[in-house]
């Protein structure tokens, strides 16, 4: 393992500002993120670099030596980084975005080549995205879950409805008739006998839908586990089988008659989608542009 340049920048900011909170403000990351960088650097070097006082970070002798050794090379590296970016792609900022694969594919993929800044896309679990956003590793996340980090803020911008769909060749006549009569118990038994598609990363929608509308957890396993929801929709297109998915991901396929909406439930299950950002950021304009693309694609009037 080698040390990370961000650890060195964080060390320099702590040394020069004197506190973790001031360093966090200077670097536009959270205070826990600053602590994480410092702890990682101290673990790597094997030395305690600061004594933690109540309102001051006091450099140790090793810390002072490390700063004196580091300051000139780090300044040269930062100058070189700035010059390199100006020569290669002038004034291009780099934004890191966290979201699920399907949302990226549906909303943003077609617009990538039009963006006037660099973009790094990261997929993963929502709690990890929130942590990475708080620590300065991400600049914007799209999430149906709100975290409790004090440094973060969440802005609702859309909704996704969780629905039951089937391939266009699936015989749903009996099921639809039973559902129209309100016989939820019989509908549940019919559905348990069908072919089901799900993903390895997202069985949560199936569990929530089943619990909300049938009053219990699903006691069956899907027949086909595929990489993502887009794969589910392609597999169901002009075929047979069932799945539980967000409505916006299959809207086009429903309109084209490749899959069909079977049931939204008596009281539709909806998730609010949020933009997650840090309260302080240097990238207000870039983030606003990305947010505009998502709002345009996911607008729910």
């Amino acid at each position: 393992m080698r040390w990370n340049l961000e650890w060195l920048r964080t060390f320099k900011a702590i040394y020069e500002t004197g506190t973790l909170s001031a360093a966090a403000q200077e670097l536009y990351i959270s205070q826990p993120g600053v602590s994480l960088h410092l702890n990682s650097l101290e673990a790597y070097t094997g030395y305690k670099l600061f004594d933690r006082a109540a309102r001051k970070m006091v450099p140790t002798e090793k810390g002072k030596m490390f700063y004196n050794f580091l300051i000139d090379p780090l300044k040269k590296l930062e100058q070189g980084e700035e010059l390199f970016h100006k020569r290669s792609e002038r004034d291009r900022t780099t934004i890191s975005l966290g979201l699920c694969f399907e949302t990226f594919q549906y909303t943003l993929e077609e617009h990538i080549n039009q963006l006037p800044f660099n973009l790094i896309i990261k997929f993963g679990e929502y709690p990890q995205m929130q942590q990475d956003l708080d620590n300065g590793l991400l600049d914007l996340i799209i999430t149906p879950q709100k975290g409790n980090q004090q440094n973060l803020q969440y802005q609702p911008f859309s909704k996704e409805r969780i629905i039951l769909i089937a391939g266009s060749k699936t015989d749903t006549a009996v099921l639809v008739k039973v559902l129209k009569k309100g016989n939820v118990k019989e509908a549940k038994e019919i559905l348990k006998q069908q072919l089901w598609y799900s993903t390895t990363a997202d069985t949560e929608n199936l569990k929530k839908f089943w619990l909300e509308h049938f009053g219990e957890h699903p006691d069956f396993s899907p027949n086909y586990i595929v990489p993502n929801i887009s794969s589910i929709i392609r597999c169901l297109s002009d075929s047979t089988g069932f799945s539980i998915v967000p409505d916006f991901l299959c809207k086009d396929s429903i309109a084209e008659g490749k899959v069909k909406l079977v049931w939204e439930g008596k009281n539709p299950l909806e998730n609010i989608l949020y933009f997650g950002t840090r309260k302080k950021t240097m990238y207000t304009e870039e983030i606003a542009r990305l947010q505009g693309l998502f709002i345009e694609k996911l607008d729910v009037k």
Side-chain angles (χ1 to χ4, degrees):
M1 182 183 74
R2 297 181 178 180
W3 61 29
N4 188 311
L5 182 58
E6 296 306 315
W7 300 351
L8 305 183
R9 286 175 169 158
T10 299
F11 169 81
K12 174 176 172 286
I14 297 170
Y15 193 99
E16 292 178 351
T17 63
T19 66
L20 296 178
S21 58
Q25 291 179 2
E26 180 175 309
L27 297 169
Y28 290 93
I29 64 175
S30 68
Q31 187 168 323
V34 170
S35 297
L36 177 64
H37 290 178
L38 177 58
N39 292 339
S40 298
L41 181 60
E42 289 184 327
Y44 180 84
T45 61
Y47 295 111
K48 185 178 181 182
L49 301 175
F50 292 95
D51 287 320
R52 279 77 164 168
R55 296 185 179 180
K56 185 78 173 175
M57 296 290 285
V58 181
T60 62
E61 287 304 311
K62 287 291 184 182
K64 293 176 182 177
M65 291 173 59
F66 189 65
Y67 178 81
N68 291 332
F69 178 83
L70 170 70
I71 186 62
D72 288 337
L74 185 56
K75 284 182 178 179
K76 289 181 180 179
L77 281 173
E78 291 173 340
Q79 290 170 358
E81 181 182 33
E82 182 179 356
L83 287 171
F84 176 79
H85 278 295
K86 285 183 178 179
R87 287 175 181 172
S88 60
E89 295 184 0
R90 187 172 182 82
D91 297 329
R92 285 183 72 95
T93 300
T94 297
I95 302 298
S96 294
L97 168 66
L99 73 173
C100 75
F101 172 79
E102 293 85 0
T103 303
F104 162 73
Q105 193 175 48
Y106 182 78
T107 59
L108 194 59
E109 190 173 46
E110 63 182 302
H111 300 291
I112 288 288
N113 61 357
Q114 304 166 18
L115 296 174
F117 47 85
N118 302 326
L119 185 65
I120 299 173
I121 305 292
K122 294 185 178 180
F123 307 123
E125 300 295 326
Y126 295 119
Q128 186 60 54
M129 288 185 197
Q130 293 162 1
Q131 194 64 44
D132 288 345
L133 178 65
D134 194 35
N135 290 336
L137 303 177
L138 292 172
D139 301 300
L140 171 67
I141 63 174
I142 310 300
T143 173
Q145 302 174 9
K146 295 172 67 174
N148 56 10
Q149 294 89 344
Q150 294 183 352
N151 190 45
L152 305 185
Q153 59 187 3
Y154 294 88
Q155 174 190 346
F157 73 97
S158 185
K159 291 180 181 179
E160 59 179 13
R161 180 168 290 187
I162 308 305
I163 60 175
L164 172 65
I165 64 169
S168 60
K169 294 183 179 179
T170 309
D171 184 357
T172 58
V174 174
L175 174 63
V176 170
K177 186 176 181 180
V178 168
L179 287 170
K180 284 184 177 179
K181 290 181 178 179
N183 193 336
V184 175
K185 185 176 180 180
E186 184 177 349
K188 177 183 66 175
E189 294 305 317
I190 293 173
L191 284 169
K192 287 165 65 173
Q193 304 306 313
Q194 307 303 315
L195 291 175
W196 280 88
Y197 287 81
S198 187
T199 71
T200 53
D202 188 15
T203 58
E204 197 62 30
N205 282 333
L206 173 59
K207 293 177 182 177
K208 285 183 178 180
F209 187 93
W210 211 262
L211 185 61
E212 175 70 20
H213 301 304
F214 299 128
E216 61 184 39
H217 291 282
D219 57 354
F220 64 95
S221 298
N223 304 89
Y224 306 112
I225 306 295
V226 298
N228 52 63
I229 297 174
S230 299
S231 299
I232 290 176
I233 295 169
R234 286 194 294 269
C235 289
L236 285 177
S237 294
D238 300 320
S239 186
T240 61
F242 288 81
S243 189
I244 306 293
V245 300
D247 59 346
F248 75 90
L249 292 175
C250 58
K251 180 174 62 175
D252 294 341
S253 295
I254 291 175
E256 294 167 3
K258 295 180 178 179
V259 301
K260 51 188 175 182
L261 169 62
V262 179
W263 193 43
E264 294 184 335
K266 185 176 181 180
N267 298 304
L269 179 63
E270 293 182 335
N271 293 325
I272 297 175
L273 295 178
Y274 299 91
F275 293 129
T277 57
R278 289 188 298 281
K279 292 178 180 178
K280 295 183 179 180
T281 177
M282 296 183 292
Y283 308 123
T284 304
E285 292 184 8
E286 292 85 357
I287 289 173
R289 176 151 184 172
L290 288 173
Q291 289 174 333
L293 293 174
F294 285 106
I295 291 172
E296 180 181 351
K297 190 71 174 180
L298 297 176
D299 188 23
V300 288
K301 294 179 181 179

